[in-house]
Amino acid sequence: MEEVIKQIDDADSTAAERCDVIVLGAGVSGLVSASVLAQQGCKRILVIDEYPHIGGNHIDWSSGDYTFDIGSLIFQDDSPLLQHFPELLPLYVPIQPRWARLNPQRLITAYPISVKDDILRAGPLEVARILASAAYARLFKRRMRNAREFARHWIGARLLHRSGLDAYMTRFYGIASDQIGIELARKRMQWISEHASLRAMLGRLRRTKPSPPGNCQLARPREGFEALYGTAAATLSARGVSFLMGAKLDRIEKLDKRFVLFREGRAIVADRVVSTIPIPRLQALCNLPVSQELETITLLALYFSFDGARGFDEEIIYNFSYDGAWKRLTMYSDFYGRAQGREYFGVEVIANHIGKSVARAEADFRAHVAANGLFCGDLRLEGSQLLDNAYPIYRNGADESAAEAVKALKAFGIESLGRQGGFNYQPTARVSTIEAEAALRGAPAVSAQ
């Protein structure tokens, strides 16, 4: 390998053969990392991704006039992402999304908890039981070792079950709620204490109208994510950042303080590597022990068009009922207008819950919405999409394993960050941007050689 580096150093090398920094992954974390590194003075930055497209797990799928996607849909006009890429703002579609949920009583109601439908509608006796259960949990269920115990402490076991929140946590995270790590619950599920505590619910009961958001909500362009992230990539390219997409990576080796990335017989030498790809994939590339306990969700998206009475007005519906494998549906046509005279929407399903079968997922969704009086009319499956490594599974102990893996990678010399690279739940592009900035802030810039 010393000879490979010597040949590259002696030759009139291109940026793709010799660079200051390699950024692995071209999702939001990777793009922001490249922007931060450029601001720090790095002159030769190469962004590499095994995906053929920019945007990471933000992927769209089109058929005729329909454009669906898998990944985050909603952004904000005050997001720090726009400080890096201000030219994205006019590409977004301004929206006013409304969130709701299908509860176990077959009602489309407020998200995440409805005082009226989840408590008062239960009747005086059940209301008394719910209140007693919540009071008991606050006094005697203070020990919180997992997400179920965290939620139970705040709202009580009775409301946890009646509201369907326990079923939804299992559906969303891919494992039973009593197996979800407490650290994730404390860091990323504070909305339970903020929105579902008795004090918060009574406060909402007194208010006549919800407070409006302090920012403008935005959706990706109607054409899909490519139009959005392609623009960000063009901005970075103008600042000297190079991109290598659809790259089949073989291995990463280290000699002294330099890294050599091998792909299809070609060697790329860099002084620094910043990674936003899944930790086990990076460990395998570096020939380090692979953390088998770091599991990820495989997500299946079903794409439907519809003509008829859908049974609700809101744009985003979460499945809090006890049945049905699907976890969320998004009415794209409410944001972008109908296509061919039809509404169209996407449905997300944890693939392992239905054996990664599109046919099973479709049959399960059709049966479930029919049983709940939704989508009465012509419901047509237009397509589907499978996404591996959609987001981490936060099983008890996974955060400690991830921290150890990131520490070992740092000892090897690689900075690993982001939803995938840090095994860190990041629900929005805002959070991904902030955490990428924080991870790289204060890191020494690499001067051009």
Side-chain angles (χ1 to χ4, degrees):
M1 189 169 69
E2 295 93 333
E3 185 63 27
V4 170
I5 292 178
K6 185 176 184 302
Q7 290 175 359
I8 291 175
D9 284 344
D10 292 343
D12 182 15
S13 301
T14 65
E17 295 172 330
R18 177 75 174 86
C19 57
D20 295 331
V21 187
I22 291 174
V23 176
L24 297 176
V28 171
S29 294
L31 295 174
V32 171
S33 294
S35 178
V36 171
L37 291 166
Q39 291 170 358
Q40 291 176 341
C42 299
K43 300 300 182 183
R44 293 179 291 184
I45 302 169
L46 176 61
V47 178
I48 303 178
D49 204 318
E50 293 184 309
Y51 278 145
H53 63 271
I54 305 288
N57 282 352
H58 290 181
I59 305 172
D60 54 61
W61 184 90
S62 298
S63 176
D65 296 331
Y66 300 109
T67 301
F68 305 89
D69 63 60
I70 189 167
S72 179
L73 173 80
I74 297 177
F75 304 82
Q76 296 84 30
D77 66 347
D78 61 352
S79 171
L81 179 65
L82 294 173
Q83 297 176 14
H84 294 274
F85 309 108
E87 62 280 357
L88 299 186
L89 183 57
L91 301 178
Y92 289 114
V93 176
I95 58 174
Q96 294 182 323
R98 294 167 295 172
W99 292 265
R101 68 190 228 283
L102 174 63
N103 74 2
Q105 293 75 46
R106 300 186 175 185
L107 298 173
I108 297 293
T109 187
Y111 171 86
I113 293 287
S114 167
V115 174
K116 175 184 175 183
D117 293 326
D118 294 319
I119 300 178
L120 301 181
R121 189 185 283 264
L125 180 59
E126 184 61 22
V127 167
R129 289 170 174 166
I130 289 172
L131 295 177
S133 172
Y136 177 81
R138 291 294 181 86
L139 292 172
F140 302 109
K141 297 295 182 181
R142 296 176 178 271
R143 186 179 184 185
M144 294 177 278
R145 296 163 295 182
N146 52 61
R148 179 180 294 171
E149 292 178 353
F150 177 85
R152 182 185 63 188
H153 170 75
W154 283 106
I155 65 175
R158 200 114 190 156
L159 183 55
L160 179 62
H161 178 73
R162 178 174 169 80
S163 67
L165 176 57
D166 190 52
Y168 178 72
M169 287 193 294
T170 298
R171 192 175 285 115
F172 182 86
Y173 292 106
I175 54 176
S177 61
D178 61 357
Q179 297 178 33
I180 301 169
I182 185 59
E183 287 306 314
L184 173 74
R186 287 184 174 136
K187 289 189 297 185
R188 302 301 185 189
M189 295 172 63
Q190 286 298 334
W191 60 269
I192 294 177
S193 58
E194 293 169 359
H195 296 280
S197 68
L198 289 177
R199 179 182 298 176
M201 287 187 288
L202 290 173
R204 283 200 304 275
L205 193 61
R206 289 192 296 266
R207 289 197 301 264
T208 56
K209 272 187 169 182
S211 301
N215 52 21
C216 179
Q217 305 293 297
L218 308 167
R220 50 95 175 147
R222 192 188 193 288
E223 298 79 13
F225 284 120
E226 184 177 354
L228 192 68
Y229 294 118
T231 300
T235 296
L236 289 173
S237 296
R239 296 166 62 187
V241 177
S242 301
F243 287 83
L244 188 58
M245 307 303 298
K248 182 181 178 182
L249 307 182
D250 298 322
R251 67 187 188 278
I252 298 173
E253 296 186 12
K254 187 179 180 184
L255 180 65
D256 296 327
K257 294 184 179 181
R258 297 203 214 181
F259 298 90
V260 183
L261 185 148
F262 292 90
R263 57 166 293 267
E264 300 173 355
R266 182 180 178 184
I268 304 171
V269 179
D271 299 313
R272 185 176 174 188
V273 175
V274 173
S275 177
T276 67
I277 66 175
I279 290 174
R281 175 62 178 141
L282 179 60
Q283 290 171 322
L285 286 172
C286 297
N287 197 30
L288 297 173
V290 176
S291 303
Q292 302 292 341
E293 65 274 16
L294 299 184
E295 310 164 81
T296 57
I297 291 289
T298 297
L299 202 60
L300 175 62
L302 301 176
Y303 302 134
F304 290 97
S305 67
F306 176 71
D307 185 27
R310 73 194 203 197
F312 56 91
D313 297 322
E314 296 82 0
E315 291 79 19
I316 300 171
I317 304 295
Y318 295 91
N319 180 17
F320 275 54
S321 66
Y322 304 141
D323 303 315
W326 66 279
K327 68 183 185 70
R328 185 184 72 183
L329 69 84
T330 304
M331 300 297 304
Y332 300 119
S333 52
D334 284 6
F335 300 143
Y336 306 112
R338 297 189 177 215
Q340 303 174 25
R342 298 172 65 86
E343 295 183 280
Y344 60 102
F345 64 97
V347 175
E348 292 185 355
V349 183
I350 302 301
N352 291 342
H353 291 177
I354 40 78
K356 298 186 178 182
S357 167
V358 173
R360 281 182 58 187
E362 179 188 4
D364 178 84
F365 178 75
R366 286 181 180 275
H368 190 246
V369 295
N372 286 273
L374 306 178
F375 295 107
C376 299
D378 179 21
L379 183 62
R380 182 187 305 163
L381 182 68
E382 299 289 347
S384 63
Q385 201 165 15
L386 197 68
L387 176 63
D388 293 321
N389 299 314
Y391 52 86
I393 295 176
Y394 299 95
R395 197 181 295 276
N396 275 315
D399 53 337
E400 291 92 344
S401 297
E404 291 174 4
V406 170
K407 184 178 179 180
L409 288 165
K410 185 176 181 180
F412 185 73
I414 294 179
E415 301 151 84
S416 190
L417 58 96
R419 173 186 279 195
Q420 304 288 351
F423 206 77
N424 188 5
Y425 178 58
Q426 297 178 348
T428 64
R430 174 194 295 275
V431 175
S432 296
T433 300
I434 292 171
E435 296 195 5
E437 291 172 337
L440 296 173
R441 185 179 299 133
V446 180
S447 59
Q449 297 181 13

